[in-house]
Amino acid sequence: EPEVTQTPSHQVTQMGQEVILRCVPISNHLYFYWYRQILGQKVEFLVSFYNNEISEKSEIFDDQFSVERPDGSNFTLKIRSTKLEDSAMYFCASSDDRGRDQPQHFGDGTRLSIL
Amino acid sequence: GQNIDQPTEMTATEGAIVQINCTYQTSGFNGLFWYQQHAGEAPTFLSYNVLDGLEEKGRFSSFLSRSKGYSYLLLKELQMKDSASYLCAVSLRSNDYKLSFGAGTTVTVRA
């Protein structure tokens, strides 16, 4: 069964450094999402992306965050200058519909640890 | 804002049945998903309800009442591997039907 893949599985970075989290969504999917989950807390929506542009973003997704689909397969999340509170599990998800009747499929996540 | 409530923890015995309730108060409700999440892993899709009523998928069933803002996930014939967190997620009628998650219910299955 096709799946969403994310790399790396774990990223350790010094505060203030830039990080890029990578995702390869399911190949025929058109809608892409990033969520994050701080340890012990709920999964939170960050941003959705369709047709090469951001469709919607949450208040968490400030100017330090950006997303890109640099080619036909990868979907990246960049955090420009990381803060301690960015430490979380980051999940990429994709859907072949706007989630209306089709589930969003999640990758295994990248655990980001900011020191 | 969005308000999605589910119990924090539940414990049940192997072979038993457990019902996880979820109540929601949201604007722009489209449908409700249930996901299973094992510790340190990704959420995996279990079920989806958009119309009122019961959806059955093997040992798992999910129910929705739109008028009451209420859903439940029913797990039957519990197995040890069902020990996990169960996430209630509301699909919102936004640009891309983003998911708004509850905090999750941790189910522990005991032998």
Side-chain angles (χ1 to χ4, degrees), chain B residues 5-39:
Chain B
D5 290 316
Q6 49 181 133
T8 306
E9 293 180 335
M10 300 183 77
T11 302
T13 306
E14 198 174 12
I17 298 173
V18 70
Q19 177 175 313
I20 306 169
N21 297 323
C22 173
T23 58
Y24 60 89
Q25 292 172 306
T26 64
S27 54
F29 177 84
N30 179 66
L32 193 143
F33 289 86
W34 283 95
Y35 281 83
Q36 181 191 61
Q37 186 179 30
H38 285 98

Side-chain angles (χ1 to χ4, degrees), chain A residues 4-6 22-25 32-35 75 90-94 105-109:
Chain A
V4 176
T5 57
Q6 290 185 242
R22 293 183 165 78
C23 170
V24 179
F32 314 119
Y33 309 82
W34 283 101
Y35 293 83
F75 178 51
Y90 288 80
F91 292 109
C92 172
S94 70
H105 295 267
F106 285 74
D108 286 337

Side-chain angles (χ1 to χ4, degrees), chain A residues 31 33 35 37 42-43 45 48 50 55-56 89 91 98-104 106-108 111, chain B residues 2 30 33 35 37 40-43 45 48 50 87 91 94-103:
Chain A
Y31 303 92
Y33 309 82
Y35 293 83
Q37 186 175 32
K42 66 181 182 180
V43 177
F45 168 77
S48 59
Y50 169 71
S55 305
E56 190 167 352
M89 189 74 127
F91 292 109
R98 286 185 173 182
R100 191 206 301 264
D101 295 315
Q102 298 296 324
Q104 293 177 25
F106 285 74
D108 286 337
R111 181 172 300 282
Chain B
Q2 320 299 335
N30 179 66
F33 289 86
Y35 281 83
Q37 186 179 30
E41 298 182 11
F45 168 72
Y48 174 63
V50 64
L87 314 180
S91 167
S94 61
N95 288 345
D96 286 305
Y97 295 90
K98 65 182 181 185
L99 295 178
S100 183
F101 283 85

Side-chain angles (χ1 to χ4, degrees), chain A residues 10 45 69 82 84 88 94 106:
Chain A
H10 192 185
F45 168 77
R69 188 155 163 81
T82 49
L84 292 176
S94 70
F106 285 74

